[in-house]
Amino acid sequence: MSDAIRHEVGIPVPQQKQRHETETGQLISYVLPVYNEAEGIKHFHAELTSTVAGRPEFDYEFVYVNDGSADGSLRILRDIAKNDPRVRVVDFARNFGHQIAITAGLDLATGDAVIVMDTDLQDPPKVSLEMIDAWLAGAEVVQARRRTRRDTPFKRFTAHAYYRLLRSCAEVDIPVDTGDFRLLDKRAADELRSFRERSRFIRGMVASMGFEQQELLFDRDERVAGETKYPMRKMLRLAADGVTGFSTVPLKLITRMGFASLALALAGIIYSVTLRLFFPEITVSGWTMLMVVMLFLGGLQMLSLGVIGSYIGRIYHEVQQRPLYIVRDVIRHDQA
Ligand code: UDP
Ligand code: MG
């Protein structure tokens, strides 16, 4: 079909794979979620700005999202905005979580390319320059993949196992060892903005979009200050969102468990009826068997209800259609 006809009938004209020429004045947006980073955020901004100063051919904007910090991060962010006209600060009315903070930053970012990175210097700013190079060479999404990471052995092990488990059951190809440090071309960022689901697992959403995706290996550093803002509870929720958002394998497993327990039940029925018919004198015993079967099936049913319940919970949150986040204020340079 020619592009003219596509245009006529309203089908989007496919973008030819193209190199993004280094026109002067292309805008690069940084989306930067902040939650209780008062100790390190000033240092982070200084590092980031000194790194991007090495590439003066671009314009930059820095969209910080203050995700309901309770440690004075906002005051420091105001200071940063006062001293740097490229900074905007989105102030959330409460803590909405990392994935939602990224979403809000993305909604406000206007760049030709948008880079999402953490504000604890675990994602090194110089890697974002390599991302820009990959983008200039034609990539539409650049994913930073951890070659090594300096976290606790427990976190390293659980993350390693989880990414592989997710990959084996997810319907889309979610890259392993890839967090939320990535560059999105304007087109890809626009598409991602149209995903409005509440339980968000952004790396899965990006994987499901397609586009020309490229991986970039990097070594993840240690936190500069403070400690992780992802306690066990938040990590488990994110992990569950990843699975329920991109896979119905748990539901299928219930069906399989159902079949397996049905087969066991059939064997049990045949066994007990035979005993009753041909050996009536020994059928009084069997209390242990009864307890085992009853408890086992009870457990299985509860587990299945739990799995179904977590999908229903998701549906419930989606149909409520509440706003994804509530912004108290957007602070610009001239208002800081
Ligand atoms: N973060 C956030 N909201 C939260 C938790 C974390 O905006 O509820 C931010 C945090 O400030 C950091 C990034 O998300 O910039 C990643 O968090 P963290 O470094 O604690 O996660 P980890 O690197 O330990 O997985
Ligand atoms: Mg971190």
Side-chain angles (χ1 to χ4, degrees), residues 33-287:
V34 178
Y35 179 54
N36 292 347
E37 303 283 4
E39 288 171 62
I41 192 74
K42 232 185 178 117
H43 177 54
F44 168 81
H45 189 71
E47 283 281 317
L48 181 60
T49 44
S50 76
T51 307
V52 301
R55 302 295 296 270
E57 65 271 36
F58 298 107
D59 291 331
Y60 295 93
E61 74 173 352
F62 306 105
V63 183
Y64 283 95
V65 181
N66 176 38
D67 186 10
S69 302
D71 68 343
S73 296
L74 180 65
R75 196 172 31 81
I76 302 173
L77 287 173
R78 267 182 199 280
D79 265 1
I80 292 176
K82 202 180 286 178
N83 296 322
D84 188 341
R86 303 168 295 178
V87 170
R88 265 184 299 167
V89 182
V90 182
D91 184 26
F92 274 0
R94 66 167 167 87
N95 177 248
F96 281 89
H98 180 211
Q99 303 286 299
I100 304 268
I102 292 176
T103 307
L106 203 69
D107 288 345
L108 249 84
T110 53
D112 298 293
V114 181
I115 297 171
V116 178
M117 67 194 278
D118 290 354
T119 49
D120 55 2
L121 285 177
Q122 280 197 295
D123 302 334
K126 67 175 187 324
V127 176
S128 71
L129 297 187
E130 291 172 37
M131 288 179 165
I132 295 174
D133 290 334
W135 171 65
L136 289 174
E140 291 164 302
V141 175
V142 188
Q143 315 262 21
R145 177 172 170 180
R146 299 180 282 257
R147 180 166 36 207
T148 57
R149 63 189 295 174
R150 298 220 205 123
D151 284 302
T152 59
F154 175 74
K155 181 150 186 166
R156 284 211 305 262
F157 171 74
T158 47
H160 184 88
Y162 173 72
Y163 280 112
R164 272 129 195 107
L165 174 80
L166 182 64
R167 200 179 160 83
S168 68
C169 70
E171 280 134 28
V172 297
D173 223 4
I174 300 175
V176 295
D177 303 331
T178 306
D180 284 307
F181 184 21
R182 67 170 58 77
L183 176 147
L184 297 158
D185 176 52
K186 197 179 179 56
R187 277 281 304 124
D190 272 342
E191 285 308 325
L192 189 58
R193 283 182 196 111
S194 68
F195 283 60
R196 301 317 284 181
E197 64 210 65
R198 286 206 59 80
S199 315
R200 303 178 80 75
F201 189 68
I202 292 176
R203 52 206 86 162
M205 288 158 35
V206 171
S208 74
M209 291 195 311
F211 287 115
E212 188 71 27
Q213 306 214 357
Q214 197 175 315
E215 273 184 2
L216 201 77
L217 284 172
F218 80 111
D219 299 299
R220 194 158 205 247
D221 288 336
E222 244 164 314
R223 245 181 183 278
V224 271
E227 52 195 41
T228 177
K229 306 301 176 317
Y230 259 99
M232 202 54 172
R233 180 175 48 82
K234 280 189 183 172
M235 218 151 72
L236 284 177
R237 193 185 310 149
L238 182 69
D241 281 343
V243 175
T244 52
F246 292 92
S247 167
T248 49
V249 167
L251 292 174
K252 290 176 192 139
L253 280 181
I254 294 182
T255 317
R256 284 200 206 147
M257 282 195 322
F259 275 118
S261 62
L262 201 66
L264 280 175
L266 266 178
I269 289 167
I270 292 170
Y271 170 73
S272 43
V273 171
T274 315
L275 277 192
R276 181 76 189 85
L277 288 180
F278 300 105
F279 309 95
E281 67 282 0
I282 58 163
T283 48
V284 189
S285 67
W287 180 83

